Amino acid sequence: MPLLQEKGLLSKLSSKLSKLSSESIRIPTLEEKNGFLKAQKLAYDCVTTVEKEMLPGWTEKQTAKRMDEFLLDHGVKTFLHRPFAWFGEHARFDGYKRFTQFHPGKKRLVEEESFILDVSPVVDGYIGDIGYSSSLIKNSELDSGMKYLLQLREEIPKYFSSTMTPSEIWWKIDSDAKQSGFDNVHSLYPFAVLGHRVYKVNLPNVSFPLLPVSFASWFSLQGSIKFLSHKVLPELLTPDHQGNKVGLWAVEPHLGKGKTGFKFEEILVVEENNAYWLDDEVPHVKKYQILNGKN
């Protein structure tokens, strides 16, 4: 079968499966939103604390381990995935084909480089999956990228509030980013996800082992079990998703320019004909408001 035809059939199948029902497709209660907010805030506390400790020469593995230690010290025993740290060009994922290539490695941080920190602790059963971009010293490529991403952040709730399908949102963001001179890095993620649903993990708050690296990369056993139980494709914001948008989404636009990759990831609340960020007092928003004189 020709490759283009095979891809077309896979796209149609993915689109059809994305319309399946899922227990995640519902408006969250106030209690649930407060639970996710607590988890998200702890995740941001983790990355901003570690950011202040980082020095030139730190490795990605060292940084990921430090984030792990912070979360363990704050009572976290469960996670969706282990901490990620990507420095410089590693944050662009150019040419990556295997799960293990996304893992934190031995790359050492150069002062002029930007970096991405990504953590997903589970707090009282609530997933707080976030991504945060920064640099040790001023980085003009990063500042330009984050300025664009924060403009996009203002548009994303409008897209989810509209009649646009998740697929149309994915392609709108892809097209606009490329027209603005940026590369779409999240298109290199598994399933090319722009985001995924978050939900309460109703499993014991005890430490679980990682799955073997060759099978599920950096993801936890309990996170993978819960994810699979939700039928997978209704949970992923892919280029083919045609299903219901209602629920809670960890949205993570990841772009690149030059030698730099940058992203944010935070929770979006989607109701019928309405969408809003779970919290506007997040570090990347406050940081760039100050840089742009909007505080």
Side-chain angles (χ1 to χ4, degrees):
M1 180 182 296
L3 181 59
L4 288 177
Q5 184 178 354
E6 183 177 331
K7 285 185 176 180
L9 290 174
L10 288 173
S11 177
K12 289 180 181 178
L13 177 61
S14 176
S15 175
K16 185 175 181 178
L17 293 175
S18 72
K19 296 178 183 179
L20 292 172
S21 63
S22 166
E23 61 185 80
S24 302
I25 303 173
R26 61 183 182 82
I27 296 174
T29 65
L30 179 60
E31 179 183 354
E32 289 170 331
K33 286 189 285 187
N34 287 335
F36 284 106
L37 180 60
K38 181 180 177 181
Q40 180 170 278
K41 284 186 173 181
L42 179 62
Y44 279 124
D45 285 345
C46 174
V47 296
T48 54
T49 297
V50 173
E51 172 192 23
K52 294 172 184 175
E53 300 174 3
M54 292 171 66
L55 296 169
W58 274 37
T59 66
E60 292 175 338
K61 282 187 175 181
Q62 178 182 359
T63 307
K65 181 180 178 182
R66 179 67 192 100
M67 290 189 286
D68 232 345
E69 291 170 348
F70 178 97
L71 294 174
L72 289 171
D73 288 345
H74 286 77
V76 173
K77 296 180 181 179
T78 310
F79 50 85
L80 179 62
H81 63 72
R82 297 287 291 276
F84 287 107
W86 300 302
F87 298 168
E89 290 186 62
H90 191 188
R92 288 183 49 90
F93 304 157
D94 290 330
Y96 287 9
K97 296 180 180 179
R98 301 187 308 275
F99 279 131
T100 53
Q101 290 177 293
F102 294 89
H103 291 181
K106 297 179 181 179
K107 178 173 172 50
R108 294 188 180 275
L109 182 62
V110 177
E111 189 175 44
E112 293 78 18
E113 290 179 327
S114 64
F115 54 84
I116 297 174
L117 307 179
D118 191 314
V119 296
S120 65
V122 176
V123 179
D124 299 327
Y126 296 98
I127 296 172
D129 196 1
I130 65 98
Y132 177 72
S133 301
S134 191
S135 57
L136 297 183
I137 63 174
K138 184 173 177 60
N139 183 301
S140 58
E141 282 188 333
L142 173 64
D143 289 346
S144 172
M146 289 306 300
K147 181 179 180 180
Y148 180 83
L149 280 178
L150 292 181
Q151 291 171 348
L152 175 60
R153 184 183 184 275
E154 294 181 3
E155 297 301 315
I156 286 173
K158 301 175 187 176
Y159 299 159
F160 275 85
S161 300
S162 74
T163 59
M164 295 173 70
T165 66
S167 173
E168 289 169 338
I169 293 171
W170 195 102
W171 287 107
K172 169 69 172 171
I173 289 172
D174 175 80
S175 175
D176 288 353
K178 289 175 178 176
Q179 288 181 20
S180 297
F182 297 100
D183 301 316
N184 181 342
V185 180
H186 57 261
S187 66
L188 304 177
Y189 286 19
F191 298 101
V193 296
L194 172 62
H196 57 87
R197 295 184 188 275
V198 291
Y199 34 77
K200 192 169 184 182
V201 180
N202 296 310
L203 290 170
N205 188 32
V206 296
S207 297
F208 282 76
L210 285 172
L211 290 171
V213 166
S214 60
F215 177 75
S217 180
W218 214 234
F219 290 78
S220 69
L221 177 62
Q222 70 274 34
S224 298
I225 290 172
K226 189 67 174 179
F227 181 69
L228 290 170
S229 75
H230 283 235
K231 303 177 184 176
V232 183
L233 286 174
E235 311 299 296
L236 302 178
L237 206 173
T238 70
D240 304 312
H241 195 297
Q242 298 290 339
N244 196 318
K245 293 177 291 186
V246 167
L248 289 162
W249 294 88
V251 181
E252 50 183 326
H254 188 161
L255 306 178
K257 193 166 188 176
K259 296 182 178 181
T260 305
F262 32 84
K263 70 179 285 188
F264 71 81
E265 180 178 12
E266 55 180 302
I267 296 175
L268 183 75
V269 183
V270 183
E271 301 170 346
E272 294 290 351
N273 306 314
N274 187 35
Y276 52 91
W277 296 107
L278 183 63
D279 185 13
D280 281 317
E281 295 296 312
V282 288
H284 46 285
V285 171
K286 293 192 288 186
K287 181 177 183 178
Y288 284 92
Q289 282 177 339
I290 292 172
L291 287 177
N292 294 318
K294 294 182 180 180
N295 60 317

